[in-house]
DNA sequence: GCCCGCTTGTAACCGAGGTTACAGATCGGC
DNA sequence: GCCGATCTGTAACCTCGGTTACAAGCGGGC
């Protein structure tokens, strides 16, 4: 983990347009107080029961926030990319509670950590509040969607949905798909084989070619 | 559904202490613009894909917010009682999206509906914002907890957890417990029988007596 | 007392998904 | 070309939870 100079206000505003509408002195104070860190892919940024140290802004890369099962499997809750912020951190700061999920850098990631007091100060800025409220609203909707999926949808439906909307050619492994679903590799292989037998996809090493998006959509929606 | 006079500011503040710290004229305007309704238990207050009409404050009773499965089963996401507000409604109003869950009055319920503009006006009041932020934070934590439960915990663990913390004698039916877990009656009967065989509970018509809370906690935590 | 409705108990059966344990395929590096 | 690592395919087996289909218990109302 390397520490470097914070970005200037211009660079920050380019990523987070909301800061253009925040009082300039408040923004500058935050940039001054923040420290920017750069971590390699795979770094665990926080974990269950950790206290929350500050408010992270992702400048580059991506954080994967997931719940870990006792047996080591993980279910991703959501991702935080450049221009977004980690809503779970906000939640912890606001409620003064501990983290209840794990955050891992998925790529080499640069982030700017604002100390808690800075975060509190930003809450006084109406545009920043609106920004945060919208993110909260989005994540709540996403989490409710996720609850529905894991509770009611079968794995083939979830897999079909996962394959869609990423272009015709997916470059990924069965293991990665399983990780995305909170399942295991063998099951994904089995299900993909089923899809291939129906002519929905063509399989290759580290790739899945979508042959029949409509068919996959049908499975995702109805389970056939 | 009967409409009645809105409560006076005093009664409202007693339930929602946050309003004591809101500018009096803003509060009065809201009370004036709101309409108060009283609905019997079982009323569906909103459902998936409905647009959000306003911001509800629960004065009496309780709302159960749940995701419905295609086959009719439901999984409760959370409840809203007096002094709380329905975070999903806030989320819809903030994100201008549709409801993505169902809300049903669990008891005879009285609620006050604030029109959308009122809600927007209240957001300008710092104490109200803080109130809302804390609720968001709480619900997010709750939803993440729920995701973990449905994804990773077995039903006996979830049932054991459900039985705990409600006193020694539970007056409920197996069906109601199943509804709470998003499962079916037969399975709950089976699992309760298992608990009874281990001496953890004693069963009776419409009642479950907790004999060994520590044993139940052990099951809830470890699955034995 | 008798009937009806709700609640509980139970058993047989099934399917989805996870576990274990391999074997073969493919690739990059040396 | 050989070796090891990674990825994929597959089969046997198991557990959990859901489904179906009853029977019996209890309770209140008439």
């Amino acid at each position: 983990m390397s520490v470097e100079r914070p970005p200037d206000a211009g660079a920050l505003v380019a990523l987070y347009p909301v800061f253009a509408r925040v009082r300039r002195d408040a923004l500058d104070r935050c940039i001054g107080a923040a420290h920017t860190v750069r971590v390699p892919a795979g770094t665990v940024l926080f974990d269950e029961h950790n206290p929350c140290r500050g408010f992270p802004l992702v400048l580059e890369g991506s954080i994967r926030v997931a719940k870990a099962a006792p047996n080591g499997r993980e279910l991703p809750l959501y991702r935080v990319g450049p221009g977004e912020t980690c809503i779970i951190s906000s939640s912890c700061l606001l409620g003064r509670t501990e983290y209840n999920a794990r955050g891992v850098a998925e790529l080499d990631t640069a982030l700017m950590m604002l100390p808690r007091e800075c975060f509190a100060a930003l809450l006084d800025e109406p545009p920043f509040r609106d920004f945060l409220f919208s993110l909260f609203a989005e994540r709540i909707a996403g989490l409710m969607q996720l609850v529905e999926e894991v509770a009611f949808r079968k794995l083939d439906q979830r897999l079909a949905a996962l394959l869609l909307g990423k272009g015709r050619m997916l470059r990924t492994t069965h293991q990665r798909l399983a990780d995305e679903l909170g399942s295991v590799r063998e099951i994904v292989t089995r299900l993909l084989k089923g899809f291939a037998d129906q002519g929905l996809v063509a399989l290759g090493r580290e790739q899945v070619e979508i042959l029949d998006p409509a068919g996959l959509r049908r499975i995702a929606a109805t389970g056939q």
Side-chain angles (χ1 to χ4, degrees), chain A residues 112-187:
Chain A
M112 193 167 132
M113 294 291 291
L114 302 190
R116 156 180 243 129
E117 311 75 53
C118 257
F119 174 68
L122 282 174
L123 282 181
D124 288 335
E125 302 288 319
F128 183 78
R129 261 161 20 215
D130 293 348
F131 170 70
L132 207 56
F133 267 128
S134 319
L135 272 174
F136 263 113
E138 245 173 68
R139 296 299 187 206
I140 289 232
L143 282 174
M144 298 202 333
Q145 190 53 37
L146 183 61
V147 168
E148 165 160 32
E149 276 176 32
V150 297
F152 298 137
R153 298 241 188 283
K154 287 195 301 173
L155 210 54
D156 55 353
Q157 298 182 263
R158 295 176 56 210
L159 177 58
L162 180 61
L163 294 176
L164 289 164
K166 307 212 170 129
R168 187 181 166 66
M169 256 322 198
L170 297 198
R171 305 221 69 251
T172 185
T173 67
H174 298 182
Q175 183 62 57
R176 246 192 276 284
L177 292 170
D179 290 343
E180 214 51 32
L181 298 169
S183 178
V184 297
R185 203 262 319 163
E186 290 86 338
I187 305 298

Side-chain angles (χ1 to χ4, degrees), chain A residues 20-217:
Chain A
R21 304 193 292 125
V22 162
R23 289 201 340 268
R24 189 55 193 254
D25 60 329
L27 179 58
D28 286 340
R29 248 199 312 273
C30 277
I31 293 180
H35 58 284
T36 300
V37 297
R38 192 170 275 280
V39 297
T43 309
V44 176
L45 293 166
F46 55 84
D47 208 340
E48 214 135 351
H49 307 305
N50 288 174
C52 183
R53 301 191 184 296
F55 182 73
L57 303 173
V58 176
L59 305 176
E60 262 180 63
S62 168
I63 303 176
R64 167 185 148 128
V65 177
K67 268 283 185 187
N71 61 15
R73 258 155 62 199
E74 286 195 0
L75 180 68
L77 298 174
Y78 57 85
R79 290 180 159 70
V80 188
E84 299 179 312
T85 90
C86 181
I87 220 64
I88 202 188
S89 300
S90 326
S91 165
C92 289
L93 289 174
L94 286 164
R96 292 170 201 293
T97 56
E98 298 181 330
Y99 280 109
N100 44 11
R102 172 179 299 171
V104 180
E106 232 179 350
L107 310 169
D108 293 353
T109 294
L111 32 87
M112 193 167 132
M113 294 291 291
L114 302 190
R116 156 180 243 129
E117 311 75 53
C118 257
F119 174 68
L122 282 174
L123 282 181
D124 288 335
E125 302 288 319
F128 183 78
R129 261 161 20 215
D130 293 348
F131 170 70
L132 207 56
F133 267 128
S134 319
L135 272 174
F136 263 113
E138 245 173 68
R139 296 299 187 206
I140 289 232
L143 282 174
M144 298 202 333
Q145 190 53 37
L146 183 61
V147 168
E148 165 160 32
E149 276 176 32
V150 297
F152 298 137
R153 298 241 188 283
K154 287 195 301 173
L155 210 54
D156 55 353
Q157 298 182 263
R158 295 176 56 210
L159 177 58
L162 180 61
L163 294 176
L164 289 164
K166 307 212 170 129
R168 187 181 166 66
M169 256 322 198
L170 297 198
R171 305 221 69 251
T172 185
T173 67
H174 298 182
Q175 183 62 57
R176 246 192 276 284
L177 292 170
D179 290 343
E180 214 51 32
L181 298 169
S183 178
V184 297
R185 203 262 319 163
E186 290 86 338
I187 305 298
V188 168
T189 300
R190 184 145 97 194
L191 293 174
L192 283 176
K193 175 72 161 37
F195 291 170
D197 289 348
Q198 296 174 67
L200 301 172
V201 302
L203 302 176
R205 187 184 170 85
E206 298 198 353
Q207 73 178 26
V208 180
E209 184 184 356
I210 311 296
L211 299 179
D212 179 0
L216 285 177
R217 262 189 295 276

Side-chain angles (χ1 to χ4, degrees), chain A residues 2-25:
Chain A
S2 75
V3 177
E4 53 183 60
R5 302 188 49 193
D8 62 27
L12 197 60
V13 165
L15 268 174
Y16 293 85
V18 61
F19 285 134
R21 304 193 292 125
V22 162
R23 289 201 340 268
R24 189 55 193 254
D25 60 329

